[in-house]
Amino acid sequence: MPTHIIFLVLFAALLHASWNALLRGGADRLWSMTVMCMAIAVASLIAATFMVAPAIESWGYGVFSALLHVGYNLFLVRSYRVGDLGQIYPISRGSSPALITLGAAVFAGERIALGELLGVALVSGGIISLAFSGRRLSVPSLPYALGTGCFIAAYSVVDGIGARLSGAPLAYTVWMCALWGVLMPAVYIGLRDARSLLRLRPGTLAAVVGGLVSLLAYAIVIYAMNEAPLGAVSALRETSVLFAMLIGYFFLGETLTARRILACVVIAGGTFIIG
């Protein structure tokens, strides 16, 4: 994998961990996620006016991905309702690289090298180990966390294929995100009402910033998936768990146990092998 792709994906991982920390800290996470999507939609539509439209062959993938992203949002919000960031995030993110590698092999015809496959396994195993407490994995919202990981894998494979067919990966990304950003408010209004969505709250600015950060992070990932194997890019992206742990340690007062440090070493080793 080219060095510049590695650094771009690691930067995207840092951005991803940052917006997840913003979401987890919110009082009303469904509202925060919806406001983030609205910011994504506005920014995407503005960016799309300066880009050539993606090839028509990719449009179906973009629509399908937007629907998958809405499902991902709902499962992620539900996971955080009763689960901690330190458990939900590793499970949902750690379960996806292996699924993406499998999906890329089945649907995109990718053949990942043995060394990269080992790296993906190390990254996934190290991330999931962060969710354990002792020898037990006690997570009340475990089905939703695993479901989130499945949505991540599904939309990553769909977007990886769609971006390659589009001839313009960034244009594909902004149009897909614009549709996703329009669908999520519609779902929110169906579940609640329009008045509560449009009311200004103390966390509005943070949600808007989180949405823009999320858009930038995913645009980087889509670009990387156009240049490198989907599974390898996904594994590198999921090192966002390391950044989330460091954010928790330095800014949220969370502890770093020996188990977590060892998991970091395993993840870093997997990342090095992939690179």
Side-chain angles (χ1 to χ4, degrees):
M1 185 183 299
T3 302
H4 75 283
I5 295 294
I6 294 174
F7 283 109
L8 279 175
V9 175
L10 291 176
F11 177 59
L14 174 59
L15 295 177
H16 194 279
S18 300
W19 78 255
N20 263 261
L22 286 173
L23 176 65
R24 181 62 182 86
D28 186 343
R29 298 181 188 96
L30 179 60
W31 175 83
S32 296
M33 179 66 85
T34 305
V35 173
M36 288 173 61
C37 289
M38 292 169 65
I40 289 171
V42 172
S44 296
L45 288 172
I46 292 174
T49 61
F50 298 96
M51 298 182 182
V52 177
I56 193 171
E57 292 83 1
S58 66
W59 290 7
Y61 290 91
V63 173
F64 188 27
S65 175
L67 294 171
L68 290 172
H69 272 83
V70 172
Y72 158 75
N73 287 349
L74 297 176
F75 267 67
L76 182 61
V77 168
R78 181 61 179 81
S79 298
Y80 281 148
R81 185 180 300 175
V82 292
D84 293 333
L85 176 65
Q87 289 185 312
I88 297 302
Y89 196 81
I91 294 172
S92 61
R93 306 310 304 187
S95 59
S96 61
L99 293 174
I100 292 172
T101 301
L102 177 62
V106 174
F107 297 105
E110 286 193 355
R111 294 295 180 266
I112 192 168
L114 181 61
E116 289 188 332
L117 188 61
L118 174 61
V120 170
L122 287 174
V123 170
S124 295
I127 290 173
I128 292 177
S129 72
L130 293 174
F132 280 82
S133 177
R135 296 184 178 181
R136 299 183 61 186
L137 178 61
S138 179
V139 182
S141 54
L142 180 62
Y144 289 97
L146 290 175
T148 302
C150 291
F151 274 108
I152 293 169
Y155 73 62
S156 295
V157 173
V158 169
D159 281 338
I161 298 173
R164 293 174 181 180
L165 292 174
S166 70
L170 293 181
Y172 169 89
T173 302
V174 296
W175 278 111
M176 182 279 293
C177 288
L179 178 58
W180 163 34
V182 170
L183 288 174
M184 191 62 198
V187 171
Y188 179 97
I189 293 172
L191 294 174
R192 295 186 182 177
D193 58 85
R195 181 177 299 179
S196 65
L197 175 60
L198 300 177
R199 187 172 67 247
L200 289 177
R201 305 187 191 183
T204 301
L205 180 59
V208 170
V209 172
L212 298 178
V213 168
S214 171
L215 177 61
L216 175 59
Y218 200 59
I220 292 173
V221 169
I222 293 296
Y223 169 76
M225 285 181 171
N226 192 58
E227 303 293 326
L230 305 186
V233 171
S234 171
L236 281 176
R237 178 181 59 175
E238 305 318 343
T239 56
S240 58
V241 173
L242 300 180
F243 294 113
M245 201 161 49
L246 292 174
I247 289 171
Y249 177 73
F250 286 108
F251 298 103
L252 303 178
E254 297 179 358
T255 58
L256 273 179
T257 64
R259 175 190 291 272
R260 291 191 171 190
I261 295 173
L262 178 60
C264 288
V265 172
V266 172
I267 295 169
T271 303
F272 176 79
I273 291 175
I274 292 170

